[in-house]
Amino acid sequence: MSAPQLSVLIIDENRIRASIIQEGLREAGLEKVSVIHDVTEVGRKIGEISPDVVFIDLENPNRDMLENFFALSRALRKPIAMFVDRSDAASIEKAVEAGVSAYIVDGLKKERVKPILDMAISRFNAFAKLTHELEVARSELEDRKCIDRAKGILMTSRGLDEDGAYQLLRRTAMNQNRRVVDVAQSLVMAAKLLEP
């Protein structure tokens, strides 16, 4: 059984340049390719098409146009390859911040389309993995802080040492079939309610 086909959306006002990308994708074996030539319809069309990957080709983008596409990139959360004819350091930096997976300056050739697609997907997946790991680490840090606050409350109110306070939290969590952090959050919240 083969893997499901990726759906690719090409956004390009220039029909000739769009056909170069389209031809490169078809030669790479991708058949689910849609093209939007009217950039004013991008928001609506993306909702209808729901592409897996987006190729944006901007021959001579002005700042407003770039900002609009960078905002689109942030909201879309899909691999995006953006082709531009010329650029500057600020535009490149904004593209990276917006989550553009591949920002190609003056490089629109059909034989480069498939490697660029592969790179955009790979970079997007790597970035998504790092983002997820960062969110998990932040969540674990917040959980740890909450447990430490709860231990502090128990140490003060019950005269326990740190290990004793943690063991009490752990026992309570086991008895109530809850996570230690959930018990800790309840204790911290209750303590805030009891503050004078």
Side-chain angles (χ1 to χ4, degrees):
M1 191 161 111
S2 64
Q5 268 276 331
L6 286 176
S7 66
V8 180
L9 172 63
I10 301 168
I11 301 169
D12 195 338
E13 291 179 311
N14 183 317
R15 293 176 188 276
I16 294 168
R17 289 172 62 100
S19 69
I20 293 170
I21 298 171
Q22 197 168 12
E23 194 175 322
L25 291 169
R26 292 210 195 287
E27 285 180 11
L30 293 156
E31 297 299 323
K32 291 174 69 177
V33 178
S34 303
V35 181
I36 298 176
H37 295 294
D38 184 357
V39 295
T40 60
E41 294 186 15
V42 169
R44 182 178 59 80
K45 287 282 193 179
I46 283 181
E48 291 172 10
I49 298 167
S50 188
D52 297 312
V53 183
V54 178
F55 275 74
I56 301 171
D57 182 34
L58 304 171
E59 280 180 280
N60 296 304
N62 60 40
R63 291 245 180 252
D64 289 342
M65 184 182 283
L66 278 174
E67 283 299 323
N68 288 339
F69 280 108
F70 293 157
L72 172 72
S73 175
R74 282 186 206 90
L76 200 57
R77 296 181 185 244
K78 301 278 184 182
I80 294 180
M82 185 175 284
F83 293 88
V84 294
D85 280 352
R86 59 183 186 280
S87 189
D88 55 50
S91 295
I92 293 169
E93 189 174 316
K94 285 183 178 182
V96 170
E97 287 172 9
V100 172
S101 306
Y103 190 80
I104 298 87
V105 180
D106 193 27
L108 182 58
K109 294 177 178 67
K110 78 173 180 178
E111 58 274 3
R112 292 186 68 202
V113 170
K114 174 67 166 116
I116 289 168
L117 172 75
D118 293 341
M119 182 190 65
I121 292 170
S122 182
R123 285 203 58 217
F124 176 82
N125 289 338
F127 185 75
K129 182 181 177 205
L130 286 173
T131 302
H132 175 71
E133 288 171 359
L134 179 61
E135 287 171 3
V136 167
R138 283 183 177 154
S139 177
E140 288 173 356
L141 180 61
E142 286 303 312
D143 290 354
R144 175 72 15 226
K145 285 179 182 178
C146 183
I147 290 169
D148 286 345
R149 282 194 293 271
K151 286 191 304 189
I153 291 166
L154 290 173
M155 289 164 65
T156 302
S157 66
R158 295 272 181 105
L160 299 170
D161 63 5
E162 187 174 356
D163 187 54
Y166 182 76
Q167 291 306 321
L168 180 57
L169 284 171
R170 193 168 163 268
R171 251 190 335 271
T172 304
M174 287 173 58
N175 291 341
Q176 295 179 2
N177 198 24
R178 295 170 65 195
R179 297 181 316 147
V180 172
V181 69
D182 295 334
V183 172
Q185 286 172 341
S186 296
L187 178 61
V188 169
M189 204 175 300
K192 281 183 184 173
L193 289 173
L194 296 173
E195 285 176 356

